[in-house]
Amino acid sequence: MNKFKTISIVLSMLALVGLNSCDNDEVDSPGAAIVGPGSVYTRISASGSATSLEAALLAATGDLPATLQGTGPFTVFAPTDAAFTALAVSLGYETTEEITATEDLLANIDKDLLSQILSYHVVSGNLEASSFTDGATLTTVLGDDLSVVVTADGDVQLLDATKLSQTNPVSTVTQANNYADNGIVHLIDKVLLPQAAIDALSFDTRPTLLEWAKGTEDLSILASAIDKAGLSDAIAALDTARVLAPNNQAFKDLFDALGDDYSSVDDFDNEVEIELLSNILLFHVLPPANESTDLVVGPAATLLTDNLIDVIADGAGFAFGDATATNASVITADIDARKGVVDIIDKVLLPQAALDFIALLGADDLATTVIEAAQLSVLEEALIKTDLVEAFTDAMNVQDTTATNFTYFRPATVFAPTDAAFADLFDALGADYTGIASFDTDEEIELLSDILLYHVLAGKVMSTDLAAGMATTVSERDIEIISVLGTENFVIGDETNDVNANITTADIIARNGVAHIIDKVLLPKSAIDFINAME
């Protein structure tokens, strides 16, 4: 390799070191000593994420690239490409096969106005990120001010003229301290807009529906619920809607109604609860009727399919009725939002599914159901003998895929043999078996456990949901659901292919499933083999 090629490679590598944006506070790096970091314009041009800003600087009037290569010093807040795309989209520009939204914006925007917008991103001086203080005001070279926010985490944010109390239009410094010979560049994630640009572009500074929820102090629990339910994107994407927004006290009242296990939206921590929370929130969103968000007395459709709320005349305004007997009153009506209207209300509206869930939480679990049923005392004894009581006790409120418990979010269906059914089983086993206590060896207890699990289906199957055919039990053996000809009844067949079990009492609802009382102990093949071996 010749000497000149070697020097060229070294200089190229050192130039890259000099262009390395960073949080490095040292300007006097070896690369900088040889080639220098360049001007702030050079830093922008060298950044792979500020190509739109470079294009904007070239398109604007005033030869801004030359200005930014001048003496300075300049502190430049440089919007990323994503920030320009977001601005372009918000102004109605779209990306097509021929042109991007940002390119379309830069081709059509008034070039003098563009120069003002870009000048609003430049402050005189050499301001490192560590020099910014919370609440400070920066005067830009345009003459308009920016406000500084320094968060508890140390993030530096800038507020432009779009600032409203209900919105959070901050521009965050995402990459600080890109040093240059004539200043410093900080990459930011939002294009800053001065008032002149807001006026000229007819930029809609009203909060969106989502911003109203997330930027209003008394709606902070609603904002958390929207995030927990994963509905932020869906609400942000709404074209037009009216949102009935429960205040914080309304959510606290809901938590009280749900019981001690619920004190915040964080307690909605399994699939059933998150789906319920999502459904409740969708019940508060009213799509436009006849292209209008105006309220009309009577039933109103919601985003929760097939669930209506009642719009009720209340003096000069409205109240809202749900599946309960208590209506929601309006605290603040007709808040003007981008793409819709917000009404702050004093109650979380509940669809029937929520009432069913509350009733479910108040029900006994399967273990308690068995214990309290007089005709199931032998089944209770058998569950205790086999250490299966805990499996049917719903004592969990957190989803755990490794647990063996049947819970309200992972329920079971139990075919529960009566005491008389167990007496028949003992007779079949012979004189050595007079009760559950007779199962006193490890082999017998394992057999008893297998028999009990042969009576359990995963999932909640009401009698109306029974269908003729084979069903796999928790023991991984099949029972047969047999339709009784000429009736709406079913019987249960086991692997004896002999006497079927009749359902004597159906649909005993429990918090974590349902029990159907039957008049025969179902026998898997293991039990049949055990009986045959005794003969």
Side-chain angles (χ1 to χ4, degrees), residues 415-418 421 454-455 466 479-484 489-505 516-523:
F415 296 103
T418 62
Y454 189 59
H455 290 74
L466 288 172
I479 58 174
E480 184 176 8
I481 313 296
I482 304 168
S483 177
V484 179
N489 299 325
F490 291 90
V491 297
I492 312 299
D494 60 12
E495 292 184 320
T496 65
N497 295 317
D498 188 4
V499 179
N500 297 322
N502 296 290
I503 299 174
T504 58
T505 304
H516 307 293
I517 296 179
I518 58 176
D519 63 0
K520 176 183 182 291
V521 176
L522 302 172
L523 297 179

Side-chain angles (χ1 to χ4, degrees), residues 128-167:
E128 296 182 345
S130 60
S131 70
F132 294 119
T133 58
D134 188 48
T137 298
L138 303 177
T139 300
T140 67
V141 298
L142 178 65
D144 290 17
D145 291 338
L146 296 169
S147 298
V148 177
V149 174
V150 179
T151 70
D153 295 330
D155 291 335
V156 176
Q157 299 175 332
L158 303 170
L159 304 178
D160 62 9
T162 62
K163 174 63 179 173
L164 292 173
S165 59
Q166 294 80 19
T167 62

Side-chain angles (χ1 to χ4, degrees), residues 252-273:
K252 292 174 184 177
D253 293 341
L254 172 63
F255 300 149
D256 289 342
L258 290 172
D260 293 341
D261 285 337
Y262 298 87
S263 59
S264 74
V265 295
D266 288 336
D267 292 319
F268 291 76
D269 48 23
N270 62 60
E271 293 172 1
V272 170
E273 291 172 335

